[in-house]
């Protein structure tokens, strides 16, 4: 008996998707719920699980083809024998892996595309998985630098560079060579990011204002309570929860910053959904914390950490990315000292955080060294006046330089 594999129902806001990678080829045995292929939309990567256990008989869509909901992707022949073989192989595989040296395992897959199954598949980021398969590498032979040993694209690139005799051609393609060049199509996510940024620049009157924050009080509070906070709540105390809370206090005072222009109208939100930009191997995504004004500092830190983890694993969902009334981006984690972030349309403003750097400042008439951070607010000048933008940043500055204000809501 044959079973058809079709494109899952795509989210309402997504018209189509691109089939990026097949993880199985015709003739391969597949388990029920095993990932057969990756579909890339404008925002997320979706997995196509096998509905049954059996043999993949036919693939109807090649990699790189655009598909819509319900399109036929493949045909699987249901097979009890395949299920038995898979079960036997999974029971035998640990002994084989433990007895064979890493070099032997790497050599055994050098002549065919690598199949990243089981534990290795779970630890491969989507971009890394694609690079592993294109270069016929063994995932087990690559050391992962990510959380829980997860293998990133950079880990694969480094593995290619460490083995020039075997992978000279792939290294040249990855590194670019002395005077080489490589033309590749944009990913769906990168194309979407490009379109949204151009749209924001073309449709909004964007302006950026700056201020600086003395982070000493915040650093002292974190140093004093971080161990107890982590022990109590099971999550580390970072800067982001303070910035989210400070932004909410400022948004309450200046509702225009939490609004947006819709034609000839202004739409004001009576709630606060804060988008937090996360950089991934595929590009920038902005998952949204819903109602963080009702969340504790621990809940905010936990939510942001979970978003970042899922985004980097390619497991972020459309629901995670939907909505948002205001956004925060932190270029400081990459060393940025100052920048002018672009608004995430149709929102009207975005807050940019930057690197904390010791600088000489004047306090009470004396020159002292303080940990300082530049902050930037890019806003839609059609809706937000310069006075409001400046006062908004001052409100955030006041809350961060005296964190007690966040608890007292003053």
């Amino acid at each position: 008996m044959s079973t058809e594999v079709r494109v899952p129902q795509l989210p309402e806001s997504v018209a189509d998707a691109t089939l990026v990678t097949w993880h199985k080829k015709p003739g391969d045995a597949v388990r029920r719920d095993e990932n057969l292929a990756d579909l890339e939309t404008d925002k997320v990567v979706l997995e196509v699980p096998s509905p049954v256990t059996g043999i993949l008989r036919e693939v109807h869509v090649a990699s790189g083809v655009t598909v819509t909901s319900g399109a036929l992707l493949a045909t699987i022949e249901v097979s009890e024998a395949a299920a038995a073989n898979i079960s036997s192989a999974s029971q035998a595989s640990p002994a084989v892996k433990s007895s064979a040296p890493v070099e032997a395992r790497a050599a055994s897959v050098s002549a065919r595309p690598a199949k990243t199954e089981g534990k290795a598949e779970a630890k491969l980021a989507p971009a890394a998985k694609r690079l592993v398969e294109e270069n016929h590498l063994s995932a087990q032979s690559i050391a992962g630098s990510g959380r829980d040993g997860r293998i990133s694209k950079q880990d694969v690139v480094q593995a290619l560079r460490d083995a020039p005799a075997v992978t000279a051609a792939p290294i040249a393609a990855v590194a670019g060579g002395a005077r080489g060049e490589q033309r590749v199509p944009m990913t769906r996510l990168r194309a979407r990011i490009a379109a949204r940024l151009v749209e924001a620049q073309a449709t909004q009157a964007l302006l950026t204002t700056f201020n600086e924050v003395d982070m000493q009080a915040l650093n002292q509070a974190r140093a004093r309570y971080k161990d107890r906070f982590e022990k109590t709540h099971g999550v580390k105390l970072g800067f982001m929860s303070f910035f989210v809370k400070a932004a909410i206090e400022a948004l309450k005072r200046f509702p225009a910053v939490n609004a947006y222009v819709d034609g000839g109208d202004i739409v004001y939100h009576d709630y606060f959904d804060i988008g937090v930009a996360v950089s991934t191997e595929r590009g920038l995504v902005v998952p949204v914390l819903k109602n963080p004004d009702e969340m504790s500092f621990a809940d905010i830190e936990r939510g942001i950490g979970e978003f970042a983890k899922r985004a980097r694993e390619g497991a972020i969902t459309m629901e995670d990315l939907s909505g948002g009334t205001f956004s925060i981006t932190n270029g400081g984690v990459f060393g940025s000292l100052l920048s002018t972030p672009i608004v995430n349309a149709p929102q009207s403003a975005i807050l940019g955080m930057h690197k904390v750097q010791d600088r000489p400042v004047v306090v009470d008439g004396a020159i002292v060294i303080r940990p300082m951070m530049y902050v930037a607010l890019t806003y839609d000048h059609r809706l937000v006046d310069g006075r409001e933008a400046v006062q908004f940043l001052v409100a955030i500055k006041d809350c961060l330089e005296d964190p007690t204000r966040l608890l007292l809501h003053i």
Side-chain angles (χ1 to χ4, degrees):
M1 183 178 68
S2 296
T3 298
E4 294 180 339
V5 180
R6 295 185 176 272
V7 176
Q9 182 63 42
L10 299 175
E12 184 177 347
S13 60
V14 177
D16 52 38
T18 300
L19 199 153
V20 180
T21 306
W22 279 105
H23 299 294
K24 293 290 184 177
K25 63 181 184 296
D28 285 350
V30 297
R31 298 185 184 89
R32 177 184 175 87
D33 296 327
E34 183 177 6
N35 184 27
L36 300 177
D38 291 335
L39 298 175
E40 185 178 45
T41 71
D42 295 343
K43 296 182 178 181
V44 298
V45 173
L46 304 174
E47 294 185 347
V48 180
S50 173
V52 294
T53 295
I55 303 296
L56 182 62
R57 284 304 179 199
E58 186 176 1
V59 169
H60 300 282
V61 177
S63 297
V65 173
T66 298
V67 295
T68 57
S69 296
L72 179 62
L73 296 178
T75 304
I76 297 176
E77 181 181 331
V78 180
S79 170
E80 296 298 332
N85 291 338
I86 292 174
S87 177
S88 301
S90 62
Q91 293 176 2
S93 59
V96 174
K97 289 183 179 179
S98 61
S99 62
V102 171
E103 293 79 8
R105 294 202 303 273
S108 69
V109 298
S110 61
R112 66 182 189 276
K115 295 181 183 179
T116 53
E117 298 181 359
K119 183 177 180 181
E121 181 179 12
K123 290 189 176 182
L124 276 171
K129 183 182 295 184
R130 191 183 313 175
L131 203 55
V132 164
E133 293 175 347
E134 288 174 352
N135 291 280
H136 302 177
L137 299 178
S138 168
Q140 291 88 347
S141 66
I142 301 173
S145 61
R147 182 178 297 180
D148 299 327
R150 186 171 183 79
I151 298 172
S152 69
K153 179 179 178 181
Q154 187 56 42
D155 294 329
V156 181
V157 171
Q158 189 59 50
L160 290 170
R161 290 172 177 161
D162 291 343
V166 178
T167 57
I171 291 174
V174 173
R179 289 182 57 82
E181 63 180 32
Q182 185 180 17
R183 182 185 296 270
V184 296
M186 278 189 177
T187 63
R188 297 271 304 222
L189 177 60
R190 176 55 58 188
R192 180 61 173 164
I193 292 171
R196 287 182 62 83
L197 293 179
V198 171
E199 178 186 3
Q201 294 276 33
T203 60
Q204 296 183 324
L206 299 182
L207 186 64
T208 305
T209 187
F210 304 93
N211 211 316
E212 60 180 355
V213 178
D214 183 344
M215 300 289 285
Q216 179 163 292
L218 194 52
N219 281 347
Q220 290 174 344
R222 289 182 65 235
R224 182 181 302 173
Y225 297 112
K226 65 179 182 179
D227 292 339
R228 190 184 305 177
F229 184 91
E230 185 173 2
K231 182 178 180 180
T232 302
H233 300 290
V235 64
K236 292 183 178 179
L237 179 61
F239 283 141
M240 284 303 301
S241 55
F242 288 95
F243 273 83
V244 169
K245 287 292 189 181
I248 292 170
E249 289 300 315
L251 290 170
K252 290 178 180 178
R253 302 179 199 180
F254 303 96
V257 183
N258 199 45
Y260 70 95
V261 175
D262 183 16
D265 300 325
I266 299 174
V267 181
Y268 291 92
H269 300 290
D270 59 1
Y271 55 91
F272 310 95
D273 288 348
I274 308 298
V276 180
V278 176
S279 179
T280 73
E281 294 170 351
R282 298 177 58 242
L284 190 73
V285 294
V286 188
V288 179
L289 281 171
K290 305 294 174 58
N291 301 315
D293 53 314
E294 301 174 2
M295 300 168 66
S296 67
F297 281 76
D299 289 336
I300 291 174
E301 293 289 353
R302 192 176 294 111
I304 293 173
E306 181 63 24
F307 277 149
K309 178 176 180 292
R310 295 213 306 268
R312 291 175 183 131
E313 292 177 351
I316 205 79
T317 67
M318 293 294 296
E319 183 179 356
D320 295 331
L321 302 175
S322 63
T325 64
F326 181 79
S327 294
I328 301 176
T329 182
N330 184 7
V333 296
F334 304 109
S336 172
L337 189 61
L338 196 62
S339 68
T340 56
I342 297 178
V343 170
N344 185 22
Q347 298 172 23
S348 292
I350 183 171
L351 177 68
M353 301 167 54
H354 299 93
K355 179 182 179 181
V356 178
Q357 187 176 62
D358 286 343
R359 292 199 297 271
V361 296
V362 178
V363 178
D364 297 328
I367 298 177
V368 296
I369 303 298
R370 289 290 177 85
M372 305 298 293
M373 176 194 286
Y374 289 119
V375 289
L377 181 76
T378 298
Y379 58 97
D380 187 352
H381 208 355
R382 296 177 303 164
L383 174 59
V384 182
D385 293 332
R387 175 182 58 84
E388 291 176 300
V390 171
Q391 291 179 331
F392 180 90
L393 270 189
V394 169
I396 287 181
K397 171 184 172 73
D398 290 343
C399 287
L400 295 173
E401 291 185 343
D402 184 4
T404 307
R405 289 172 176 263
L406 296 175
L407 301 177
L408 301 177
H409 301 285
I410 57 176

